[in-house]
């Protein structure tokens, strides 16, 4: 990995608050997703692991290692197998979660059953029992895998300030998704997904 993936990889954080942009990924490596801190890759020869590479200058690597240490082994979370640094580039080797983010489910019109929401609630309670503070739990950080809810991104779980994202997502699920979309979900165009995301940000900055 340090020979193949990291040297050939160009990550950029173009806009603060927008996901990391991956300029190129070497042969054999597939980008699974990108967030505000990092991009996540899988290799075709290793089905069950992913590499999360932090963008230059983005904090959070040490915190994420500590969060996984406290979480231990739990079915609703990934695990961190190895944390390394190569020429100043920080990365984690983690258990791959085979799921679809709730964001992608809404976008693609894939049904999100109520049990998924309950599983995630239970997983977040478990994290609280371990002395963690669920934070930044939004549609791109939770997934459906075989009909169960799982949490992909725990990097902010040491932050103690309150975060309303998961409660807001649940409200949206109960008020809009259940009554209007759950029976026959339809794919959503990008502009709808982006408008909801930007609208939510405006709403939260006005109501906090
Ligand atoms: N363990 C994993 N298995 C599979 N996909 C993952 C895994 N971790 C992250 N991803 C994918 O990569 C995206 C970005 O990872 P994430 O941990 O959320 O990064 P960030 O901390 O920058 O927000 C996620 O939204 C998800 O699509
Ligand atoms: Mg994320």
């Amino acid at each position: 990995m340090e020979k193949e993936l990291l040297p050939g990889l160009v990550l950029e954080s173009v806009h603060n608050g927008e996901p990391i942009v991956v300029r190129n990924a070497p042969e054999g490596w597939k980008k699974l997703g990108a967030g505000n801190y990092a991009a996540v890759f899988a290799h075709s020869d290793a089905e069950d692991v992913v590499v999360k590479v932090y963008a230059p200058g983005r904090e959070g690597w040490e915190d994420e290692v500590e969060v996984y240490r406290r979480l231990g082994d739990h079915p609703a979370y990934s695990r961190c197998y190895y944390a390394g640094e190569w020429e100043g580039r920080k990365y984690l080797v983690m258990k791959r979660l085979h799921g679809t983010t709730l964001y992608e489910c809404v976008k693609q019109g894939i049904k999100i059953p109520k049990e998924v929401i309950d599983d995630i609630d239970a997983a977040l309670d478990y994290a609280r029992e371990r002395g963690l503070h669920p934070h930044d739990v939004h549609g791109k950080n939770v997934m459906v895998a075989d009909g169960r809810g799982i949490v992909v991104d725990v990097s902010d779980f040491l932050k103690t300030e309150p975060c309303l994202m998961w409660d807001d997502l649940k409200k949206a699920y109960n008020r809009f998704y259940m009554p209007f979309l759950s029976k026959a979900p339809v794919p959503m165009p990008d502009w709808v997904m982006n408008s909801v995301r930007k609208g939510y940000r405006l709403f939260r900055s006005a109501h906090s």
Side-chain angles (χ1 to χ4, degrees):
M1 196 175 59
E2 294 190 347
K3 277 197 211 108
E4 270 190 35
L5 172 65
L6 297 171
L9 192 63
V10 184
L11 296 185
E12 269 173 44
S13 43
V14 181
H15 297 291
N16 253 328
E18 290 290 325
I20 300 297
V21 178
V22 178
R23 289 285 175 221
N24 66 337
E27 280 266 346
W29 294 90
K30 186 173 163 239
K31 186 186 96 169
L32 296 181
N36 287 328
Y37 297 98
V40 173
F41 300 88
H43 192 274
S44 46
D45 295 340
E47 268 293 288
D48 292 314
V49 292
V50 295
V51 186
K52 177 169 179 174
V53 185
Y54 275 73
R58 295 291 162 120
E59 304 288 309
W61 175 80
E62 288 87 354
D63 286 354
E64 189 159 358
V65 174
E66 171 61 14
V67 171
Y68 277 114
R69 197 190 62 76
R70 290 200 206 170
L71 285 175
D73 203 358
H74 187 279
Y77 292 100
S78 176
R79 291 191 59 182
C80 177
Y81 298 130
Y82 181 76
E85 196 172 348
W86 177 83
E87 302 205 345
R89 313 280 304 269
K90 289 172 170 167
Y91 65 91
L92 304 174
V93 181
M94 301 193 299
K95 179 173 94 182
R96 179 166 179 182
L97 301 170
H98 294 273
T100 310
T101 62
L102 296 201
Y103 179 90
E104 280 298 324
C105 288
V106 173
K107 188 172 153 172
Q108 295 177 26
I110 300 167
K111 193 171 176 151
I112 305 169
K114 177 80 171 72
E115 296 74 52
V116 167
I117 307 294
D118 297 338
D119 286 340
I120 295 166
D121 264 333
L124 299 180
D125 282 340
Y126 167 82
R128 286 186 197 98
E129 284 164 21
R130 296 288 171 119
L132 296 165
H133 313 273
H135 197 104
D136 209 30
V137 182
H138 55 67
K140 289 182 181 174
N141 285 343
V142 286
M143 282 180 163
V144 184
D146 298 324
R148 306 303 302 257
I150 56 177
V151 184
V152 252
D153 187 2
V154 299
S155 46
D156 288 323
F157 279 27
L158 290 181
K159 291 192 178 156
T160 49
E161 62 260 42
C163 176
L164 293 169
M165 283 184 172
W166 176 243
D167 287 338
D168 289 337
L169 192 150
K170 277 196 291 188
K171 278 184 203 152
Y173 182 88
N174 290 326
R175 287 185 198 162
F176 303 110
Y177 192 86
M178 280 308 262
F180 300 115
L181 278 171
S182 62
K183 290 243 161 55
V186 285
M188 296 285 155
D190 280 342
W191 70 265
V192 173
M193 300 304 291
N194 284 326
S195 308
V196 170
R197 190 167 61 93
K198 292 195 174 128
Y200 175 71
R201 239 185 242 179
L202 273 177
F203 163 81
R204 259 301 148 225
S205 60
H207 294 79
S208 57

